[in-house]
Amino acid sequence: MLNDWNQGASLSEIARAHGLSLSWTGRLLRQEGVVLPEIRQGVRRVLDTPRIIREYRGGASIRRLADEHATSYGTIRRLLRRENVPLRPHGGNNSAVRRFR
């Protein structure tokens, strides 16, 4: 991780490559003596909202949409909620079956 940072990789890129959260990645880098930039708002990006809504309604998971659009689960979830898209229960179609057994 430290080598990646020294070669110019972003905190997000390092976290994604190692399967870690941003906060845990930052903590590990700080333990190695890295001075991270001050915390600030994320980068605003333009997402294809109609496409994301269409894919979600077509059965795509929030996780899959986040991966495909190179953004976070939370960003996709907030976008869907902001657009008043009814969210499926966690666990997809199987959750209702498990709940009532």
Side-chain angles (χ1 to χ4, degrees), residues 24-65:
W24 188 247
T25 302
R27 181 180 185 157
L28 293 173
L29 286 172
R30 281 191 292 283
Q31 287 176 354
E32 294 297 320
V34 172
V35 177
L36 297 174
E38 71 178 67
I39 297 172
R40 61 188 192 285
Q41 289 292 329
V43 175
R44 285 232 181 250
R45 65 183 80 191
V46 177
L47 294 172
D48 188 351
T49 301
R51 178 180 166 200
I52 291 170
I53 292 170
R54 187 172 55 253
E55 290 175 354
Y56 182 76
R57 287 182 172 154
S61 69
I62 293 176
R63 173 64 52 215
R64 189 179 107 207
L65 291 169

Side-chain angles (χ1 to χ4, degrees), residues 7-37:
Q7 291 182 359
S10 71
L11 193 60
S12 297
E13 292 167 336
I14 296 168
R16 191 174 304 119
H18 293 276
L20 300 171
S21 69
L22 286 174
S23 61
W24 188 247
T25 302
R27 181 180 185 157
L28 293 173
L29 286 172
R30 281 191 292 283
Q31 287 176 354
E32 294 297 320
V34 172
V35 177
L36 297 174

Side-chain angles (χ1 to χ4, degrees), residues 52-98:
I52 291 170
I53 292 170
R54 187 172 55 253
E55 290 175 354
Y56 182 76
R57 287 182 172 154
S61 69
I62 293 176
R63 173 64 52 215
R64 189 179 107 207
L65 291 169
D67 290 344
E68 287 180 7
H69 294 272
T71 192
S72 71
Y73 178 96
T75 297
I76 297 296
R77 188 173 188 284
R78 281 188 300 276
L79 179 146
L80 293 170
R81 289 190 51 122
R82 183 183 66 228
E83 298 297 323
N84 297 315
V85 176
L87 299 180
R88 296 185 296 269
H90 291 284
N93 294 332
N94 296 327
S95 67
V97 173
R98 284 193 304 259

